[in-house]
Amino acid sequence: MPDHWHGLIALGVGDDLGLRIGLAKTNMARGIRAEAGAIGPIWAKSFHDHALRNDDEALLATARYIVMNPVRAGLVRRVGDYPYWDAIWLDSLSCPVSTLATKIL
């Protein structure tokens, strides 16, 4: 998505979501600025989070939703055409990428 980011983040015991998001935003902004130069603010100051139940079905459905975002946004025609599509949760739940489009659509 050209104007936002969706991601799955697994927190460990004692991890702080706000801190993790802040670090991710900082690292991504540094990379973007290294490529594009001084372009002003990259991220909004806040973020929206949604906790998932601790079950494989909810995690898999969310991972599938996220990797299909570039297709729904019209950025690419196939999931694999988007350079940042991967999700470790899809591999760990033995979901072949070739079945993603048919299961999501």
Side-chain angles (χ1 to χ4, degrees):
M1 306 17 37
D3 62 351
H4 67 281
W5 176 77
H6 286 167
L8 285 170
I9 298 174
L11 298 175
V13 175
D15 272 345
D16 180 274
L17 180 60
L19 177 62
R20 295 290 172 202
I21 294 295
L23 290 171
K25 285 178 166 182
T26 297
N27 289 331
M28 285 186 264
R30 283 184 183 145
I32 291 168
R33 285 194 179 95
E35 291 288 322
I39 57 174
I42 306 287
W43 299 103
K45 292 183 181 187
S46 62
F47 65 93
H48 174 77
D49 65 322
H50 176 80
L52 294 177
R53 292 186 315 269
N54 191 20
D55 68 64
D56 288 346
E57 190 173 313
L59 191 60
L60 182 58
T62 302
R64 287 178 175 162
Y65 173 83
I66 289 170
V67 299
M68 284 299 293
N69 274 340
V71 175
R72 285 191 298 275
L75 299 176
V76 293
R77 295 185 70 185
R78 297 178 318 111
V79 170
D81 293 340
Y82 191 67
Y84 310 108
W85 75 269
D86 201 7
I88 61 170
W89 290 275
L90 297 176
D91 292 335
S92 67
L93 295 173
S94 300
C95 174
V97 173
S98 60
T99 64
L100 270 178
T102 56
K103 289 182 179 180
I104 285 290
L105 300 175

